[in-house]
Amino acid sequence: MHRNQTLYTFLVDKIPELTDKWYNSLSKCGDEGIYSSTDPIVIKQLKEQHDEFQLHFCEVFLLSQRDFNERFRPWIKKVAQDVKYQHTPLHLVVREFMKNRELYFTLLDEYISNHKEDVTEPLARVWEHVITSTFDDIIFAFSQESHQAAQIRLEAQQELINELSTPIIHLKGHNALLPLVGTIDDERAKMILDNVLEQCTKTQISKLYIDLSGVVIVNRIVGHQLFQLIDSLRLVGTETILCGIREEIAKGAIRLGMAFEGIDIKSSLSQALESQS
């Protein structure tokens, strides 16, 4: 009922005017992400994306709902994954969608005013509802795609953090150094166990120096994970040497009843390396 070739043609013809009006309404100051860019290339891309958006949106008055969604979704996905939009706060993107919705209501009023004899009041209300519901669907779909893109980005960043948290430094021969820094909580201890065991197995490390001089605190659970790491490394043929245990860590380990029996321990990394040279 809402599809109308004449309305579609009217809206498509208005796209250049619509894009100019929308772009001129943007705030060009402050941190508005992609919307405040002064880079001519970015501005050109922004306007082209807006034109493409309008072409897709106008098709809601021409295509079936299924065909409309199939043609529009790739645009939503592409823009949501664009790094420039990922660096633009989501509420600002939603604001621009809402501004465009108001522009369409203005165009619809103009069309109805020029076609009073053909457009009934019920039909006008149907078109208004179509514009409202379609923009709602677009905002929801964009937010969904943006969230998924953000999750992928966070997972990649977390993987990098994990790698940096367990930096195995390869030394001469099949020896390596694992310098641990900061607080080691339960989650990080488990991550160290998994990552270090995997890296030592993959690169066939025969001797691993674990430098604890930068560790702030070790609790019972973390100590257990450390012992488990040493035992696991022994099973894959990697000998471990602990070094740099700070006085407060040593006292805390004794209070917790941690026994470092059977583990090679040196007072410092330099002493450990000298004794093995």
Side-chain angles (χ1 to χ4, degrees):
M1 179 181 178
H2 68 275
R3 293 198 289 273
N4 186 289
Q5 177 70 53
T6 307
L7 175 57
Y8 166 77
T9 302
F10 169 80
L11 293 175
V12 169
D13 290 342
K14 291 287 185 176
I15 287 177
E17 175 187 333
L18 197 62
T19 294
D20 287 341
K21 187 176 294 186
W22 169 75
Y23 182 76
N24 291 333
S25 73
L26 294 177
S27 173
K28 307 302 190 301
C29 59
D31 185 13
E32 299 287 300
I34 189 174
Y35 302 119
S36 62
S37 176
T38 57
D39 185 335
I41 296 176
V42 175
I43 294 172
K44 181 175 181 292
Q45 179 191 12
L46 186 62
K47 290 183 176 181
E48 288 174 349
Q49 287 174 334
H50 192 269
D51 284 343
E52 190 177 354
F53 168 82
Q54 307 306 331
L55 283 170
H56 282 303
F57 184 83
C58 292
E59 290 181 332
V60 74
F61 295 106
L62 186 67
L63 304 175
S64 67
Q65 188 66 43
R66 178 180 177 180
D67 290 342
F68 174 78
N69 290 337
E70 286 182 354
R71 287 174 59 83
F72 210 155
R73 192 75 189 204
W75 181 91
I76 295 173
K77 191 178 186 71
K78 178 181 69 175
V79 173
Q81 293 178 346
D82 187 324
V83 67
K84 289 183 287 297
Y85 279 93
Q86 291 178 13
H87 292 159
T88 301
L90 181 59
H91 69 275
L92 297 182
V93 181
V94 172
R95 180 192 64 188
E96 298 312 315
F97 278 130
M98 295 170 67
K99 284 165 60 176
N100 273 277
R101 179 168 58 191
E102 294 305 313
L103 290 174
Y104 269 98
F105 283 139
T106 300
L107 288 179
L108 182 61
D109 288 343
E110 180 182 342
Y111 178 84
I112 292 172
S113 177
N114 294 335
H115 298 80
K116 292 180 180 179
E117 66 283 359
D118 300 320
V119 181
T120 63
E121 185 176 342
L123 180 57
R125 286 201 298 268
V126 168
W127 286 342
E128 289 174 355
H129 174 73
V130 167
I131 292 174
T132 300
S133 61
T134 302
F135 266 98
D136 286 345
D137 291 343
I138 292 169
I139 290 172
F140 177 82
F142 185 90
S143 300
Q144 188 179 45
E145 291 289 349
S146 180
H147 174 72
Q148 291 177 357
Q151 287 299 111
I152 293 172
R153 202 163 65 249
L154 285 174
E155 289 173 5
Q157 291 171 351
Q158 187 59 53
E159 288 181 6
L160 178 59
I161 290 172
N162 291 346
E163 291 178 5
L164 295 175
S165 297
T166 54
I168 289 186
I169 302 170
H170 291 271
L171 305 175
K172 190 176 181 180
H174 288 281
N175 298 339
L177 167 66
L178 173 62
L180 297 177
V181 179
T183 301
I184 302 179
D185 56 17
D186 301 352
E187 184 177 347
R188 187 183 173 199
K190 292 176 183 177
M191 179 187 66
I192 291 172
L193 172 62
D194 294 338
N195 290 353
V196 171
L197 185 59
E198 179 184 357
Q199 291 184 58
C200 285
T201 303
K202 186 182 298 182
T203 56
Q204 298 182 326
I205 299 299
S206 60
K207 187 173 294 184
L208 178 67
Y209 300 92
I210 302 179
D211 183 11
L212 299 175
S213 59
V215 174
V216 178
I217 188 170
V218 174
N219 60 31
R220 184 183 297 276
I221 296 177
V222 173
H224 173 73
Q225 292 284 349
L226 181 60
F227 292 146
Q228 188 176 351
L229 170 61
I230 293 171
D231 289 340
S232 299
L233 288 171
R234 186 180 294 119
L235 290 175
V236 298
T238 301
E239 177 189 354
T240 55
I241 298 93
L242 292 182
C243 54
I245 299 178
R246 297 164 62 173
E247 181 181 352
E248 57 269 32
I249 298 297
K251 290 179 179 179
I254 292 173
R255 284 197 302 270
L256 294 172
M258 296 181 187
F260 290 89
E261 298 176 0
I263 301 174
D264 192 358
I265 301 177
K266 303 297 180 183
S267 62
S268 65
L269 176 60
S270 59
Q271 184 191 56
L273 293 174
E274 287 174 5
S275 66
Q276 300 299 322
S277 60

